[in-house]
Amino acid sequence: MNTETMTVDAPKASSRGMQKNRPIEEIKSVVIRFVGDSGDGMQLTGNEFSKAIARAGHDFATHPDYPSEIRAPTGTLFGVSGYQIQFSSGQVFTSGDAPDVLVAMNPAALKTNLSDVKHGGMIIANSGAFNKVNLTKAGYQSNPLEDGTLTDFRLYSIDISEFTTQALKDTGIAKKEIGRCKNYYALGLMLCLYSRPLESEEGNIRAKFAKKPEIAEANVIALRAGYAYAESTEMFVSTYQVRAADIAPGRYRSLTGNHAAALGFAAASELSKVPLFLGSYPITPATDILQELSALKHFNITTFQAEDEIAGICSAIGAAYGGVLGLTTTSGPGMALKTEALGLAVMLELPLVIVNVQRGGPSTGLPTKVEQSDLLQAVYGRNGECPIPVIASRSPADCFDCAIEAFRLAVKYMTPVIFLSDGGIGNAAEPWRIPDPASLPRLDVKFRTDPEGFQPYARDENLARAWVRPGTPGMEHRVGGLEKDFLTGNISHNPINHERMVAVRAAKVAGIAKDIPALTVEGPDSGDLLIVGWGSTYGSIVQAREQAVLAGKSVAHVHLRHLNPLPDDLGEIMSRYKAVLVPELNLGQLSKLLRERYLRDVIVMSKMQGKMFKVSEIHYRILELC
C-alpha cells in the first residue's frame, strides 16, 4: 500500500535535478505514455514516475492500461501494457488526449500506440528489442526505427536492453533479473529529461525491494545508468521543466480510486463507530479494494475472501444483520451473480454497500478496459419491484467521499446502496488532499435497544425500519426472503400487504431525493447547451467545456453523483437549455433514464472502445451543436 505523502505549503518551481549545463526548456504541461510487454514493468515505471511528479508539487492524472489476457505471449500486439500520465503547472482533469512522449519498449508497443502520439512528438524506443522475431510478431515488414516510418516524430533510438546489461554485468545477478531492470533504466532517462532528482526514487527502490537487497541495488544502478546516459549524451538537446501547480496548501498523497474507496470505507467505520466487514471475491478491476482494506484491520475492519461472488455478498448481508457495516465489492459478471442476494437485502431492509468497479462487457468482455455499461443494471437489474439507491464517483479522489456517502444513505434509510466506479477511475491516480477529520460529514448510527412497542418493520420519518442487533433483550425477530408483514415482519402472503410493502420500499428510495444537495452548474444558468455527465466522463467534459467557452460558446455542465433517485432540481435545470448532451461510455443508458423521467429528448454521445473520452472528441461535438 502506498503511504507516501507530500506537504504543499506554497507553489514553487520544480527542482532542476542534476542538470548543470544543458538548456532547460520550461513547458506548461506534458503527457507521457510508457508502453511495453506486461512483463516489462511499465505499470511500476509509470507509478514511480508519478510519485516523482507528486513530490514536485504538480497536479497530475494517470491512466494505467492493462492487457486483457493475464499473460499474453511476449512481443504480441495484444500483450501490450501501458501507463499514461499528464502533469502540469495548472489544473489537470485527465491523463491527456495524445502523448507528447512515447516510451516504447518493443515493436508491438510502438505499433499499437503510434497513432495516438502527437505529430512531432518524441518517441524513445528500446532499439535492442527491435529484432527480427519481435518485428514479425508486431506485423512489421521492416524496422520502423530505420525505414522512415517515424520521420514525423522526434525519434530517440536507445538500446535500453544492452545498456542495462552493461551497467549490471558485474553485479552477479542472473540474466533474467538483469532483463527485469530495464524499466528502471527507462525511468532514469525520463527523470533526467524532466529535471527530477534521483535521491527519493533510490529510497523508494530500496524500500520496495528491502527483502532482496541485491535486486534493489541492481535497480538503483540501472536507474542511475539511465539518468547518466540522458545527462551525458548530446542526443537530448534540451531537458524540460514544468513548474509546480498553484494548489491549495495542505498535506497530499497520490492514490488510486480503489485505494481512495478503501480509505473512505475505513473512514465511514470510524465516523459511525461501527465495525466494517467486507465480504468479497477477487475480480478485476475491483480486487485492490479488498487488498487495501485487508491491510487496515487495526481499524476494526474484517475482510473475508469468499469462495465466490454469492458467498461474498451473503456474508456481507449476514454481517449487516449482525450490526456491522456490510460491504461487498465486484465488477462486471460478478454483479450479475450477486443479483439474487441484492433482492434479499432489499427485502430485509438492511444497510449494505455494493461496489461495482465497472469494466467492459458483457460476459468476461474486456476485463481490464473502461466502460460505464452497468448503470441500467444497477437501477433495474433485479427480479420484482426492487429499488436500490445508486451513486457514482467522478474521479479517483472522489471515491473517498462516495464511499462515505454510500454508507450514510445505507444506514439512514436502512437499504442496500450501489456505488459505481469503473476501471478508469479505480486504477488511475491523482493527488488527494488529506482532509481534516473534523471536516468529514457526520455518520450517526443508532441501534434500537428499547423493546417497548417494538415492531421490526415499524418506520421512522425516512421510512426506515430500526436497526436491531441480534440478541438485544425483548427484540427477537426473524428475517428472510419471503414477503414481510408491514409491521411484525412475519411472513405474509396477503395481497394488499404485499402491494403496501412494495410501495413503501419504493417510496423510501424515492424519498432520498430530498436528501441530495442542490446540483452545481458550471457555466451559464441558461443557454444553448447543457452537458449532463456521470462517472469518469467528468474530466473530459470539464476540459472540453472550458475550451468551448474560450471559443465563445454558451455551454454549461452538470455532473451527477446520485443516479437513483435523480436529484429533484435536475429537470428544472435541463429545461433552461436549448439542447442537452449526454456523453457516456455506453450506448446511452443515462440518456434513457433522463428521457423516461423528464420526457425531454437528449443528444446521445456514446463511446464503446474500452477507452476514455478524449477531450477533443467532446469539444468537437460541442462545436457541432452550438
Side-chain angles (χ1 to χ4, degrees):
M1 181 173 60
N2 174 24
T3 58
E4 182 171 348
T5 62
M6 64 175 180
T7 300
V8 178
D9 297 315
K12 57 184 178 181
S14 300
S15 166
R16 294 178 60 164
M18 297 168 59
Q19 298 299 309
K20 300 297 182 183
N21 302 315
R22 193 183 309 276
I24 297 179
E25 180 181 339
E26 187 168 299
I27 54 180
K28 183 178 180 180
S29 65
V30 66
V31 179
I32 301 170
R33 185 182 297 177
F34 300 90
V35 284
D37 269 321
S38 56
D40 282 339
M42 293 296 94
Q43 304 302 324
L44 175 62
T45 306
N47 187 51
E48 292 302 306
F49 188 78
S50 68
K51 288 180 184 178
I53 294 307
R55 285 191 294 268
H58 301 299
D59 195 10
F60 68 92
T62 72
H63 178 66
D65 186 20
Y66 304 92
S68 291
E69 293 198 31
I70 293 174
R71 182 59 86 176
T74 302
T76 57
L77 298 176
F78 50 89
V80 174
S81 178
Y83 190 104
Q84 182 163 305
I85 177 172
Q86 177 176 205
F87 63 100
S88 174
S89 57
Q91 198 168 8
V92 173
F93 294 98
T94 74
S95 63
D97 278 11
D100 299 288
V101 181
L102 179 71
V103 180
M105 299 300 283
N106 63 14
L110 179 66
K111 184 73 171 288
T112 54
N113 289 272
L114 181 59
S115 61
D116 291 337
V117 183
K118 288 181 180 177
H119 184 83
M122 180 187 299
I123 295 175
I124 298 175
N126 174 22
S127 60
F130 282 70
N131 53 47
K132 185 176 181 180
V133 172
N134 286 339
L135 289 168
T136 300
K137 288 181 180 179
Y140 281 117
Q141 301 300 314
S142 59
N143 191 337
L145 306 184
E146 301 170 352
D147 64 7
T149 298
L150 306 178
T151 53
D152 290 335
F153 305 93
R154 290 175 291 157
L155 173 64
Y156 297 94
S157 181
I158 305 171
D159 194 342
I160 295 174
S161 299
E162 176 60 23
F163 289 161
T164 303
T165 300
Q166 289 299 316
L168 301 179
K169 64 181 180 180
D170 296 327
T171 60
I173 66 172
K175 182 178 180 181
K176 184 178 181 180
E177 296 295 341
I178 289 177
R180 289 175 174 171
C181 295
K182 62 181 180 290
N183 62 325
Y184 276 107
Y185 190 99
L187 179 60
L189 286 171
M190 299 307 293
L191 290 177
C192 180
L193 190 59
Y194 287 93
S195 307
R196 301 307 315 142
L198 289 179
E199 291 78 10
S200 294
E201 183 54 38
E202 291 180 5
N204 285 349
I205 292 173
R206 292 192 170 96
K208 184 176 182 63
F209 298 98
K211 295 182 179 180
K212 296 181 179 180
E214 70 283 359
I215 300 299
E217 192 57 32
N219 282 320
V220 168
I221 292 172
L223 179 79
R224 290 174 176 171
Y227 197 104
Y229 180 88
E231 188 178 36
S232 62
T233 183
E234 296 182 0
M235 181 175 290
F236 297 116
V237 176
S238 300
T239 56
Y240 303 92
Q241 175 177 280
V242 179
R243 288 191 175 273
D246 185 8
I247 57 180
R251 195 165 182 235
Y252 288 77
R253 68 185 301 171
S254 169
L255 83 176
T256 65
N258 283 341
H259 189 181
L263 293 178
F265 291 130
S269 177
E270 290 291 302
L271 290 167
S272 64
K273 298 180 175 58
V274 178
L276 174 70
F277 175 90
L278 168 65
S280 182
Y281 181 75
I283 184 170
T284 300
T287 305
D288 286 344
I289 301 176
L290 170 61
Q291 294 173 335
E292 296 289 352
L293 282 174
S294 67
L296 299 175
K297 294 178 181 179
H298 52 291
F299 285 109
N300 209 1
I301 294 171
T302 300
T303 54
F304 168 55
Q305 182 173 318
E307 65 268 28
D308 56 38
E309 295 282 2
I310 300 170
I313 187 171
C314 287
S315 66
I317 291 172
Y321 177 66
V324 302
L325 300 182
L327 170 68
T328 189
T329 56
T330 191
S331 180
M335 196 67 181
L337 291 169
K338 293 183 187 294
T339 298
E340 182 179 357
L342 278 172
L344 174 62
V346 169
M347 180 66 77
L348 301 181
E349 298 189 53
L350 287 170
L352 173 73
V353 171
I354 307 97
V355 180
N356 179 0
V357 187
Q358 301 165 97
R359 68 191 210 183
S363 187
T364 309
L366 301 173
T368 62
K369 307 303 180 182
V370 63
E371 205 163 277
Q372 291 181 295
S373 55
D374 294 348
L375 176 57
L376 292 181
Q377 179 195 39
V379 175
Y380 296 122
R382 291 162 295 282
N383 67 296
E385 293 290 342
C386 193
I388 293 181
V390 180
I391 67 171
S393 56
R394 69 185 190 184
S395 68
D398 189 48
C399 287
F400 177 86
D401 298 319
C402 283
I404 296 175
E405 173 67 359
F407 267 121
R408 185 188 73 85
L409 295 177
V411 298
K412 182 174 181 178
Y413 293 91
M414 289 294 286
T415 179
V417 175
I418 294 175
F419 167 15
L420 296 177
S421 175
D422 62 46
I425 293 173
N427 291 325
E430 66 179 355
W432 174 62
R433 187 182 182 189
I434 300 173
D436 180 352
S439 69
L440 297 176
R442 292 171 58 89
L443 195 57
D444 296 324
V445 175
K446 296 179 181 178
F447 293 97
R448 177 160 178 168
T449 57
D450 180 11
E452 182 67 30
F454 171 64
Q455 295 279 15
Y457 278 79
R459 300 172 187 278
D460 64 11
E461 67 278 7
N462 299 312
L463 300 180
R465 75 181 189 92
W467 198 3
V468 179
R469 285 193 168 112
T472 303
M475 305 181 72
E476 295 80 5
H477 62 284
R478 295 182 299 173
V479 297
L482 293 172
E483 183 61 278
K484 306 285 175 278
D485 178 76
F486 193 80
L487 288 176
T488 68
N490 293 331
I491 295 170
S492 173
H493 297 294
N494 183 291
I496 302 301
N497 177 78
H498 174 60
E499 186 171 59
R500 188 181 184 191
M501 288 295 281
V502 166
V504 77
R505 288 190 291 261
K508 178 172 69 171
V509 173
I512 292 174
K514 69 179 182 296
D515 208 2
I516 298 174
L519 290 170
T520 299
V521 179
E522 299 294 337
D525 289 336
S526 61
D528 295 331
L529 181 66
L530 173 70
I531 305 175
V532 179
W534 70 280
S536 57
T537 58
Y538 176 75
S540 299
I541 294 174
V542 168
Q543 289 194 252
R545 190 196 76 83
E546 289 178 349
Q547 292 178 6
V549 169
L550 290 175
K553 304 300 180 182
S554 174
V555 57
H557 169 215
V558 63
H559 215 76
L560 304 180
R561 170 181 285 179
H562 298 83
L563 297 162
N564 189 44
L566 291 165
D568 276 344
D569 55 346
L570 178 58
E572 189 277 327
I573 291 171
M574 290 171 57
S575 70
R576 303 200 300 257
Y577 298 86
K578 296 177 182 178
V580 177
L581 174 67
V582 185
E584 299 183 79
L585 300 176
N586 57 47
L587 294 179
Q589 297 188 16
L590 177 60
S591 299
K592 288 183 173 68
L593 295 178
L594 296 179
R595 285 168 174 159
E596 172 192 285
R597 172 70 183 275
Y598 302 109
L599 302 180
R600 168 74 188 270
D601 194 21
V602 299
I603 301 165
V604 178
M605 182 177 184
S606 293
K607 184 172 184 176
M608 296 287 290
Q609 301 174 15
K611 298 180 179 180
M612 306 289 282
F613 275 112
K614 292 182 178 180
V615 174
S616 58
E617 291 171 334
I618 298 177
H619 177 62
Y620 292 146
R621 189 70 179 109
I622 293 171
L623 297 183
E624 291 173 354
L625 296 171
C626 290

